[in-house]
Amino acid sequence: MEMKNILIICSAISLFSSCGSESQNKHLTYQNIVILSDLSSRIDNKPSKDTDEIHKIVQYFKNECVKPGEKIGDKSSICFSSFSEKTIAAIDIGNIKNLGEKQQFINSTGKFQNNGLTYQIDDFEQKVKNAYSNIRNKGLDLISILTEKIENEPIVKESFYLTDGIDTTFVKYDNHIYIFTDGYLEYLNKNANSQFYFGSSEIEKVRQFCRTNNLDITTALEKNHSFNLPITKSKKNQFVNLHVFETHERDRNEKNLNYSHPKGERDNEVLAAVWRKWAVESGFKSFEWRKY
């Protein structure tokens, strides 16, 4: 065989081999949903809407994340706890490694017919309702507890990758922490440690500072650092989308449907600005404050 033909054949074999071993990278994203409820006297002040809102989050997890009958191999998770307890209810699809068993669980078929996702969803929501019926906390340092949970409990999932030397799968988690509270940071041991205490008295100080200096709330917080919560940096914060869901406004008269203070000075607006500034400076991926 002529040298020219040998070179052509070798080149063809080399090209074929390189095409056959070309890496195939996959990027997969799953949801990790964490629900933390402030089960204080706030939920006795007016009919609680928390469980209805939590039901919406649970249905989102089921229908938009896991998608029974549509999606294969999901790794999403959801958990619920109060600030005073560790995990009360949890569903983690990623814990089931075998794909066949995973799909049986998701679709509530086979050996999971009576203990699959459908049953687990109902059980999850029942545990939420039981917690709301039976747990009451007189006052907790929510920021300190949240920081502790993020840092020391396995509630935040970090992205990772899997490779066989050729193909690589990049697995990303969108972490969402939903806090159900009225936003007031009031707790019992203020005299021992007041750094994260922010209640009615602190709100009034911000309000008066705004009036005296003709400032809006955001500008007041920038100018007077004594109003700000201490920054709590953690490398895990960058992976967390923080949502604060607020339902009870103390300065709102439910009977007359009016407020004790004009727009721009209301409790809810001060609290939202204080929480947001703390979340941004503490390095959270995103922050949402929602009245509902």
Side-chain angles (χ1 to χ4, degrees):
M1 183 179 293
E2 295 182 2
M3 181 60 69
K4 180 179 180 181
N5 291 334
I6 292 175
L7 292 174
I8 292 174
I9 292 172
C10 289
S11 297
I13 292 173
S14 176
L15 179 62
F16 177 79
S17 298
S18 65
C19 289
S21 62
E22 183 178 352
S23 63
Q24 299 293 321
N25 294 337
K26 290 193 297 184
H27 295 264
L28 304 174
T29 300
Y30 303 108
Q31 303 300 308
N32 176 42
I33 298 171
V34 178
I35 303 169
L36 298 173
S37 286
D38 168 20
L39 297 180
S40 63
S41 59
R42 73 176 181 89
I43 59 180
D44 298 322
N45 292 329
K46 58 190 270 190
S48 174
K49 298 185 289 185
D50 288 16
T51 52
D52 290 340
E53 201 67 27
I54 291 173
H55 172 72
K56 294 177 185 177
I57 296 174
V58 172
Q59 290 303 303
Y60 169 79
F61 167 76
K62 176 184 177 182
N63 299 323
E64 300 301 326
C65 302
V66 184
K67 294 185 176 180
E70 299 180 39
K71 193 174 180 181
I72 295 176
D74 188 69
K75 297 180 185 293
S76 297
S77 60
I78 186 170
C79 68
F80 166 82
S81 72
S82 69
F83 275 87
S84 60
E85 309 284 336
K86 291 191 176 181
T87 302
I88 293 174
I91 302 172
D92 192 339
I93 308 299
N95 282 341
I96 307 176
K97 305 304 180 184
N98 180 277
L99 184 58
E101 289 189 358
K102 185 193 294 282
Q103 291 312 117
Q104 286 184 359
F105 175 82
I106 289 173
N107 298 317
S108 299
T109 58
K111 71 176 186 179
F112 293 106
Q113 184 173 3
N114 298 315
N115 192 34
L117 182 63
T118 299
Y119 171 84
Q120 293 295 333
I121 288 288
D122 291 341
D123 184 62
F124 186 101
E125 296 205 62
Q126 187 57 53
K127 288 177 178 176
V128 170
K129 292 177 181 177
N130 290 342
Y132 269 82
S133 297
N134 298 314
I135 300 175
R136 286 294 181 276
N137 299 124
K138 293 183 178 180
L140 298 174
D141 184 351
L142 299 189
I143 295 291
S144 292
I145 295 173
L146 173 63
T147 301
E148 182 76 13
K149 284 182 176 291
I150 290 175
E151 192 63 30
N152 298 316
E153 293 183 23
I155 62 173
V156 177
K157 295 191 176 187
E158 297 186 25
S159 302
F160 64 93
Y161 70 90
L162 302 169
T163 183
D164 58 7
I166 300 175
D167 300 333
T168 302
T169 300
F170 296 91
V171 177
K172 174 188 174 185
Y173 283 101
D174 280 338
N175 293 279
H176 295 271
I177 295 181
Y178 293 88
I179 298 177
F180 285 82
T181 180
D182 59 9
Y184 295 84
L185 298 169
E186 297 169 326
Y187 46 88
L188 300 178
N189 60 339
K190 178 185 179 182
N191 292 333
N193 181 7
S194 62
Q195 61 177 342
F196 292 112
Y197 193 98
F198 204 95
S200 298
S201 176
E202 288 70 25
I203 292 172
E204 185 59 31
K205 289 177 183 177
V206 175
R207 188 179 289 127
Q208 291 301 325
F209 187 82
C210 289
R211 290 175 180 174
T212 301
N213 296 280
N214 193 27
L215 299 172
D216 60 70
I217 297 168
T218 300
T219 305
L221 297 182
E222 291 291 343
K223 287 185 173 295
N224 192 330
H225 297 291
S226 68
F227 297 142
N228 299 328
L229 303 175
I231 299 171
T232 54
K233 290 284 188 180
S234 168
K235 69 181 184 66
K236 293 183 180 180
N237 289 353
Q238 63 183 307
F239 305 117
V240 175
N241 301 282
L242 188 62
H243 310 261
V244 177
F245 278 28
E246 187 276 344
T247 183
H248 178 66
E249 299 176 87
R250 295 182 193 173
D251 61 344
R252 175 180 166 86
N253 187 311
E254 293 296 334
K255 183 177 181 180
N256 299 325
L257 299 179
N258 58 13
Y259 289 85
S260 303
H261 305 97
K263 187 172 177 59
E265 297 182 4
R266 296 169 184 169
D267 284 17
N268 183 280
E269 294 170 308
V270 175
L271 290 169
V274 169
W275 273 86
R276 177 172 285 105
K277 194 170 190 296
W278 169 78
V280 170
E281 292 179 348
S282 296
F284 285 89
K285 184 176 181 180
S286 70
F287 178 80
E288 176 192 20
W289 175 281
R290 183 193 297 182
K291 291 200 306 179
Y292 68 97

